[in-house]
Amino acid sequence: GTWSTRRDREDLVTCQATIAHADKIMSLQATAAGPIGAMTSMLHDIGAPVQIAGLHQREVAGTVITFLLCEHDDRRCWAYGTGQTADEANVRALIAGANRLRPTQ
């Protein structure tokens, strides 16, 4: 969906996102020390918690690429995201990790 970030008080950021989850589209907001913390909070709020066990990042031809080792309930997976900024790549990788760790029905 959509994603926006704005600076808040005391070096925090407030992030807003539109996320599709469980056949619903919802708007969420969280304030945290950074965008990845805000997205982690939003995912937890909708019942899709993800913990980050590892992070690797590099820039290739002006694009930031983030690889995250994500875990939940003793399951682990690598996920990646790309973006123009590190924050954008991190958030996209975190969402990919949440999607990969989603319980299978």
Side-chain angles (χ1 to χ4, degrees):
T2 62
W3 174 262
S4 67
T5 301
R6 67 177 165 78
R7 295 201 182 282
D8 210 321
R9 67 194 187 292
E10 301 173 9
D11 293 329
L12 299 175
V13 295
T14 296
C15 299
Q16 291 183 285
T18 303
I19 297 175
H21 176 70
D23 296 329
K24 295 180 187 174
I25 296 176
M26 50 191 101
S27 293
L28 303 167
Q29 179 175 310
T31 300
I36 201 163
M39 180 53 76
T40 300
S41 176
M42 288 184 224
L43 290 170
H44 184 270
D45 289 348
I46 63 171
V50 175
Q51 292 149 346
I52 298 169
L55 181 147
H56 297 280
Q57 192 171 72
R58 51 182 44 178
E59 187 176 333
V60 176
T63 298
V64 179
I65 303 168
T66 297
F67 296 90
L68 293 180
L69 178 57
C70 301
E71 64 182 14
H72 177 67
D73 285 343
D74 296 324
R75 294 177 54 220
R76 285 185 162 198
C77 71
W78 281 99
Y80 82 98
T82 62
Q84 295 300 309
T85 67
D87 289 337
E88 189 177 289
N90 292 343
V91 167
R92 288 180 176 170
L94 187 56
I95 291 169
N99 284 329
R100 294 197 65 208
L101 291 171
R102 207 173 39 188
T104 56
Q105 307 290 338

